[in-house]
Amino acid sequence: MSGLLKPSSGEILFEGVKYSSLNEKDLDSLRAENFGFIFQKLNLIEYLSIKQNLALVKDKFNFYDVDKIISELGLSGKSNQEVKNLSFGEAQRVAIARAVINNPKVIFADEPTSALDDSNTEIVMKMIFEHVNKNNSTLVVCTHDDRVKKFFSNAMVIK
Amino acid sequence: MSDLNFVLLSLKSRFSSTILAVLLTTFGISISIILVQFENHIKNRLNNDGKKIDIVVGAKGSPLQIVLSSIYHIDLPTGNIPFSSLKTISQDPLVEKVIPLALGDNWKNNRIVGTTHEYIEHYGAKLDKGRNWQKVFEVVAGSSVKINLNQKFSGSHGLVDSNDEHDHGEYRVVGILKPTGTVLDRLLLTSVKSVLQIHGQDIKDNEQHNHEHEHDKHEHEKHEHQLDENKHKTDNHDHHNQHMDDYVNNNQGFMEPEITSLLITTKSPIANINLPRSINKESQLQAANPAFEITRLSTMLGLGSKSFKLLSIIIMLIAVLSIFTGLASNFENRLRDLAILRAIGYSKARVFKIISLEGVIIVIFGIIIGLCSSFLVFNFLVDMIAPLNNSNAKFEFSFEIVIIIFLVLLAGLCAAFFPAYKGSKVSVAKQLTQ
C-alpha cells in the first residue's frame, strides 16, 4: 500500500492515481508528500540528533516547526542529542513524530507497540491517535498486539 | 537538512575511516606534487644554467663531467687545458663567444671561478651592491653566497670545503649580484688572473680589465646608437676576438698557464655538431655538447624519477581503494540508513548524489591538505637539502598540479560510483523489515 513494493498482480490506487502509472521518482514524491511511516524497529538514523532526524523529512508546505514538535514530545532539552543515546521510549516518540510531522494523509505503522509494556503501549497509541485526529489522517496499523485492538473501529484479520 | 549537511554528519559518524581515506589521499597527492616540483625545478635549472652555451671545452675525459663541472658546477673538472686554447678557439669563424673558466678553489663550498665579465653578462645578472671586479683578487659574489661586501677571505684548495686554505692571496668582495635563479647565484666570480696567481701561475695580462672596460663601453655605445642588429653582432664578435687576441698575446713567453674550461656560444646549430668534432679530433681538448649530455643524463635519471612516479601512483591507488572501502565498509549497516531516506521520500538519484558527494568531499579535503602539506614539506626539504637550498628551489604552481588534482577528483568519483550505485538501488521494504 505504501508503494515500497510492487504488487505481483492487481492495482493499487491512491486518490484515484494508479501506482503502476507512476514512475519511480513520482512514486517517491507521492510517498514523501502523503505517507508517514512508523517502523517496528523505529529505523531512526542513529548518528543524527533528534532534531536532524526530524529535519530529514520533506517540508512540503514549509510549515512545520521542529523545535515546537520536540517540545510537544517532552524532549526539549535533548533536541541535539544523538538518537542512539535515547531510551527506547524516547526514540519511539521521535519515530512517531517523524511519521506525523509532515501532516501525511496516511500513516502506516508496523508493530508500533511490540517492544513496549502496557502503560507505554497506552501512551504511544494515544499519541498516534492525537496526531491522526489533529491532521485528519488515515491510520493503517499492522500488529500482532491484542492490546492495540481496542483502539480501532476497523480491523482486517489475516490468518 | 541539506544533503551536504547530511553527508558531513555521515562522514563524522565514521570519523576514523574518513580520516584514513583523507590522509591516504593527502599522501598520494603530496608525493606526486613534490615529485613534480623537483622535476620541474631540475628541468628549469638545467635549461637556465645551460642557456645559450652550445659547447663546453675541457680536458680529455668524460664529456658529461665537463658539462656538469663547467656549466652546473656540480662535479669535478676533468683536468686543465692550456690558456692558449682560448685564442685558438675564439678565432674559429664558427664561434660567436667564448667564456674562459678557471676553477680550483672554493670558499665554504661556493666555488671561486676565474672568468671574464662576459660570464656575468651571459646570464643577464645585475649588480645588487658594489661594482664589478677590476683588479686581481677582487671578487663579485652570487646572491646566495653568505658573504658581505668588502669582506676578505682566502679560498680553500679544492672544490669542496676543506681546511686547506691558501696562505697567500686574499680575496675581497667588491660586488654582490642580484638573484638570477641560475648557477651564478652560488658562485664567487673573479678574474682568471686571480685564480692563476693563487696557483703560482700568471698571465701577463694587465689589459684584462682595461679590455673589459672597453667592452662595457662598447656595449653601452651599441645601445646608444641603436645599431643594426646584424652589424652589431658582427662587430661584437670581431671585438670579442680582438679582445681574446690581446688577452692571449700578452701572455706569450710565460710558463704555459692553464685554465679549466671554455664555454662557447656558436653562430649556428651546424657549428654545434662540426666544431666539437674538429676540436676532439685535432687537439688534446675535449668538446662536449651540453644539450646532448643533459639529455643523456635525464634519460639515466629518468629511471629513478619513474620509480618515484610509480610509487606515487600506487599510493594514489591505495587512496582510491581506501575511499572505496570507506564508503563500502559498513555498507550493510548503511543500507538501512539509505533505505530510511528512500522510505521518507528521497529519490534514487538523490541517494546516489549523497554517496558520491561523500567520496568527493573526502577527495577535496585530501587535495586541500595535500596541497598545503606538499608546500610545507617541499620548503622543509629545500631548507634541509643543501643543493636545493643553493639552487633557490621554489614551490611553483604548474599545469601538472592541475592535472594531478583533476585525476584525483576523477579517481575519487570512480571510487564512490559503485557504492553510490548500489546504495541507490537499495530495496527499501527488504531493508526496513529485516
Side-chain angles (χ1 to χ4, degrees):
Chain A
M1 285 165 73
S2 63
L4 294 176
L5 286 174
K6 283 182 180 163
S8 50
S9 61
E11 277 289 355
I12 304 171
L13 286 89
F14 180 75
E15 295 184 332
V17 178
K18 285 181 186 172
Y19 283 12
S20 59
S21 69
L22 299 173
N23 62 26
E24 216 152 8
K25 201 177 167 193
D26 292 336
L27 200 58
D28 289 334
S29 293
L30 178 114
R31 198 162 55 234
E33 288 172 9
N34 299 294
F35 301 159
F37 293 93
I38 302 167
F39 300 103
Q40 182 175 8
K41 287 181 184 167
L42 308 185
N43 284 332
L44 296 166
I45 295 180
E46 291 190 337
Y47 55 81
L48 298 183
S49 67
I50 297 176
K51 203 170 175 177
Q52 288 159 347
N53 261 288
L54 296 180
L56 284 174
V57 181
K58 190 177 179 185
D59 190 352
K60 62 181 172 185
F61 301 121
N62 202 21
F63 80 122
Y64 69 69
D65 182 343
V66 175
D67 290 323
K68 192 177 161 210
I69 290 164
I70 291 172
S71 133
E72 280 170 11
L73 292 173
L75 296 170
S76 305
K78 295 185 174 180
S79 65
N80 290 320
Q81 197 167 322
E82 285 181 4
V83 164
K84 66 183 171 203
N85 297 326
L86 298 177
S87 70
F88 188 82
E90 288 170 333
Q92 179 102 16
R93 276 183 271 167
V94 178
I96 293 168
R98 188 183 61 189
V100 301
I101 194 168
N102 205 18
N103 195 15
K105 290 177 179 162
V106 184
I107 296 166
F108 294 100
D110 180 16
E111 301 282 7
T113 55
S114 62
L116 302 177
D117 59 21
D118 291 350
S119 63
N120 273 316
T121 300
E122 204 66 27
I123 294 168
V124 163
M125 287 314 293
K126 278 185 181 161
M127 192 189 279
I128 294 173
F129 270 96
E130 194 183 312
H131 286 285
V132 165
N133 293 332
K134 196 164 91 183
N135 300 331
N136 202 19
S137 309
T138 302
L139 177 64
V140 179
V141 173
C142 168
T143 184
H144 291 90
D145 192 346
D146 282 341
R147 297 171 298 179
V148 174
K149 277 182 185 171
K150 63 179 178 189
F151 291 94
F152 292 91
S153 52
N154 300 320
M156 182 191 285
V157 180
I158 300 172
K159 286 190 177 175
Chain B
M1 177 161 43
S2 72
D3 290 346
L4 180 66
N5 228 341
F6 178 77
V7 165
L8 290 175
L9 289 165
S10 165
L11 287 175
K12 196 178 142 201
S13 75
R14 292 174 285 117
F15 189 72
S16 40
S17 72
T18 304
I19 288 291
L20 183 71
V22 169
L23 283 181
L24 279 168
T25 317
T26 300
F27 283 139
I29 286 204
S30 300
I31 290 178
S32 313
I33 290 178
I34 289 171
L35 277 178
V36 166
Q37 290 296 317
F38 282 141
E39 225 174 81
N40 284 349
H41 174 66
I42 293 169
K43 217 189 288 170
N44 287 343
R45 288 309 304 257
L46 287 178
N47 289 342
N48 285 344
D49 290 352
K51 200 155 69 182
K52 287 188 181 169
I53 297 174
D54 300 318
I55 297 168
V56 187
V57 172
K60 286 275 187 223
S62 151
L64 178 60
Q65 197 180 339
I66 293 175
V67 170
L68 291 179
S69 62
S70 296
I71 298 184
Y72 304 104
H73 295 275
I74 46 176
D75 198 356
L76 298 174
T78 46
N80 289 334
I81 57 172
F83 183 70
S84 56
S85 57
L86 175 60
K87 180 185 175 185
T88 325
I89 289 176
S90 57
Q91 278 173 341
D92 193 302
L94 296 172
V95 169
E96 186 180 319
K97 184 168 74 179
V98 183
I99 301 171
L101 296 184
L103 307 175
D105 296 335
N106 81 92
W107 179 77
K108 294 187 176 173
N109 276 331
N110 298 108
R111 290 188 179 189
I112 300 167
V113 180
T115 183
T116 60
H117 291 166
E118 271 187 306
Y119 192 45
I120 296 178
E121 286 156 18
H122 180 82
Y123 288 107
K126 299 268 179 284
L127 278 162
D128 185 31
K129 291 175 198 163
R131 57 172 173 81
N132 225 328
W133 74 81
Q134 303 297 345
K135 294 178 193 155
V136 180
F137 299 130
E138 286 186 342
V139 163
V140 169
S143 59
S144 302
V145 184
K146 292 179 176 59
I147 201 162
N148 300 319
L149 199 64
N150 295 322
Q151 188 173 332
K152 288 182 177 177
F153 67 91
S154 292
S156 303
H157 199 67
L159 296 176
V160 286
D161 201 14
S162 70
N163 292 325
D164 184 16
E165 281 190 7
H166 286 287
D167 47 8
H168 60 285
E170 203 178 34
Y171 289 107
R172 187 169 72 89
V173 181
V174 295
I176 291 174
L177 296 173
K178 285 181 180 166
T180 58
T182 67
V183 68
L184 225 56
D185 293 350
R186 58 190 165 91
L187 300 178
L188 290 157
L189 307 170
T190 184
S191 61
V192 174
K193 195 176 171 70
S194 309
V195 174
L196 291 181
Q197 278 196 6
I198 289 272
H199 295 94
Q201 299 180 358
D202 202 0
I203 45 177
K204 205 173 71 183
D205 182 20
N206 292 324
E207 302 295 316
Q208 184 186 354
H209 79 264
N210 292 340
H211 162 77
E212 280 167 1
H213 262 318
E214 288 289 317
H215 185 80
D216 290 347
K217 195 179 155 207
H218 172 78
E219 290 282 327
H220 184 65
E221 282 170 357
K222 243 169 23 183
H223 288 297
E224 275 193 357
H225 297 296
Q226 297 283 305
L227 291 173
D228 170 72
E229 197 181 329
N230 291 331
K231 182 171 178 290
H232 165 85
K233 269 190 181 170
T234 318
D235 288 353
N236 196 17
H237 179 68
D238 292 346
H239 172 81
H240 182 88
N241 282 347
Q242 184 57 47
H243 159 63
M244 286 303 166
D245 289 349
D246 294 348
Y247 194 31
V248 178
N249 285 337
N250 281 329
N251 294 292
Q252 300 297 321
F254 272 76
M255 185 191 81
E256 179 78 18
E258 289 181 323
I259 55 172
T260 310
S261 57
L262 302 171
L263 306 179
I264 300 172
T265 306
T266 60
K267 282 181 179 167
S268 74
I270 299 164
N272 299 349
I273 300 164
N274 292 340
L275 196 60
R277 206 176 284 163
S278 65
I279 291 173
N280 289 338
K281 206 163 111 186
E282 290 165 17
S283 64
Q284 78 269 38
L285 305 177
Q286 165 100 40
N289 182 329
F292 175 73
E293 297 304 326
I294 291 308
T295 312
R296 213 157 63 91
L297 181 69
S298 308
T299 318
M300 287 192 277
L301 290 177
L303 209 63
S305 79
K306 260 180 201 155
S307 42
F308 269 116
K309 260 182 196 158
L310 196 67
L311 180 74
S312 69
I313 290 172
I314 290 171
I315 292 177
M316 291 286 225
L317 280 177
I318 294 173
V320 169
L321 279 177
S322 83
I323 294 170
F324 176 75
T325 48
L327 293 174
S329 70
N330 304 320
F331 200 69
E332 290 308 312
N333 296 338
R334 297 200 62 213
L335 279 178
R336 197 186 61 92
D337 294 343
L338 300 175
I340 294 169
L341 294 180
R342 292 276 291 116
I344 60 177
Y346 281 48
S347 67
K348 278 183 181 178
R350 194 167 170 196
V351 170
F352 184 92
K353 189 181 97 183
I354 283 173
I355 301 177
S356 305
L357 198 58
E358 286 191 12
V360 171
I361 285 175
I362 288 175
V363 173
I364 286 175
F365 272 110
I367 289 171
I368 293 170
I369 302 173
L371 270 174
C372 297
S373 63
S374 59
F375 177 76
L376 294 174
V377 170
F378 181 80
N379 284 338
F380 174 75
L381 288 176
V382 170
D383 280 345
M384 295 300 290
I385 303 170
L388 285 173
N389 199 353
N390 289 339
S391 62
N392 283 330
K394 281 194 181 70
F395 191 92
E396 279 168 5
F397 283 94
S398 57
F399 184 62
E400 283 101 329
I401 293 184
V402 179
I403 291 179
I404 290 172
I405 289 173
F406 175 74
L407 286 179
V408 172
L409 262 177
L410 198 69
L413 269 178
C414 290
F417 180 82
F418 179 68
Y421 179 75
K422 212 176 156 195
S424 68
K425 293 280 177 199
V426 64
S427 161
V428 184
K430 198 173 141 198
Q431 281 300 324
L432 297 184
T433 52
Q434 265 176 0

